[in-house]
Amino acid sequence: MVWVVSTSIARACANIALVKYWGKRDAQLNLPAAGSLSLTLDALVTTTQVTFDPGLIGDELVLDGVAAKPAELARTREFLDLVRAAAQIRTHARVVSKNEFPTASGLASSASGYAALAVAAVAAAGQVMSARQLSILARRGSGSAARSVFGGFVRMHAGISDVSGADRDDGTGAFAEPIGSPLTARVRMVIAIVGGGAPKSHGSRDAMDHTAATSPLYRAWLELVPRDLAAAEAALATGDLEQLGAITEGNALAMHASAIAARPAVIYWQPATLAALAEVRALRAAGHAAWATMDAGPHVKVLTTTGEAATVAAALRSVPGVTDVSIAAAGGPAALLGAESRPS
Ligand code: PMV
């Protein structure tokens, strides 16, 4: 082992899925049961510094200035073990991660978090990986993180041709890649934060497993995803925002329907979530470009255009229970910001 302290810093943007990932076919390798499609967002950035230091007696994790809870640290340690195995090192690491989100409350940061961690940890361990290899690695931390390695619109491959999951693989086919589109420069995502002291929502990891195991609608969900993916990709190719928007909203509602039908139910929505959804439908009825999507929480994200974003944001600000609204454009790929090594 070389006795050096090696540090790298990376940044990655979060992404919001337009066709959702909801269900695994393999928990160990974190393989998705189906593909997904997302938009990486410039407003949601995580910066992560990783230092492999022979002087450490265990891995350390500081999140937004606070020492992480044991469960968070354990998940990061498992991820670092993958990097250590690839680099054939045993050195422990200190991970310092900061979310530069417009609001502190409730936006899932695991996508940007694990994408930034993958890029920083691999570089600090002295390894070089292609973007595809980084995407495969980031997936082990969080399925959606595989998409945050890339900017703009991103397609995640399930890595199987058969949605039944019969032909399991070793995970090398489950990676993301960017999709160019005339829409990339024109789209905006308006993020409406729904607050109000709700009980803590179910983590996506457990909730998707529970949906897959108990929801009578899960099979229908899995049959829907490939159709939505094909239609969304066609819309991206032709620059058809109406088509993309309709798929985005319909797909999110179908994902939530499958979760709501799980036993016991997984319900992420609050009254203000439905009020925001109604506002989006009203905007559309009035001729505006606005389509909603929701993830494992009560917040509503609205796909719209550069020209309409301010109108959509103002409308959502007026919804009771919406506590904060921000506008994001397409973000870039995960990037290494710096690296250095010194003798320990
Ligand atoms: O990457 P995970 O395990 O946090 O799951 C993401 C789940 C959703 O955000 C609800 C959907 C998605 O595709 O991002």
Side-chain angles (χ1 to χ4, degrees), residues 188-192 276 278-291 302-319 322 325-328:
R188 292 293 180 272
M189 192 74 93
V190 176
I191 301 163
E279 187 59 46
V280 169
R281 291 165 77 95
L283 280 164
R284 231 168 31 235
H288 297 288
W291 296 271
V302 183
L303 186 68
T304 184
T305 62
T306 324
E308 299 255 49
T311 306
V312 171
L316 288 166
R317 266 187 205 107
S318 73
V319 174
V322 169
V325 176
S326 58
I327 301 172

Side-chain angles (χ1 to χ4, degrees), residues 100-177:
E100 292 158 37
F101 287 9
T103 170
S105 68
L107 274 179
S109 52
S110 67
S112 49
Y114 278 101
L117 180 60
V119 172
V122 163
Q127 299 291 292
V128 176
M129 285 191 188
S130 67
R132 178 171 298 183
Q133 287 172 316
L134 285 167
S135 177
I136 290 167
L137 174 64
R139 189 200 73 226
R140 300 289 295 272
S142 158
S144 54
R147 301 185 308 238
S148 270
V149 171
F150 302 99
F153 290 105
V154 177
R155 162 81 193 260
M156 175 77 194
H157 296 279
I160 39 166
S161 50
D162 174 1
V163 293
S164 73
D167 53 338
R168 281 166 192 275
D169 62 11
D170 60 359
T172 52
F175 57 84
E177 61 188 357

Side-chain angles (χ1 to χ4, degrees), residues 15-22 24 30 36-38 75 108 110-111 141-145 147 203-205 208 255-256 268 294-297 301:
N15 70 78
I16 298 296
L18 310 182
V19 176
K20 304 294 185 190
Y21 153 53
W22 195 248
K24 302 179 201 303
N30 209 20
S36 57
L37 191 148
S38 60
R75 206 170 146 187
S110 67
S142 158
S144 54
R147 301 185 308 238
S204 54
R205 209 163 244 240
M208 66 174 76
M255 179 207 113
H256 283 270
Y268 288 113
M294 294 80 59
D295 293 284
K301 299 105 183 188

Side-chain angles (χ1 to χ4, degrees), residues 36-62:
S36 57
L37 191 148
S38 60
L39 178 62
T40 298
L41 297 178
D42 67 347
L44 311 177
V45 178
T46 299
T47 306
T48 299
Q49 175 175 307
V50 177
T51 303
F52 282 103
D53 182 344
L56 292 172
I57 53 166
D59 292 325
E60 296 175 4
L61 171 63
V62 177

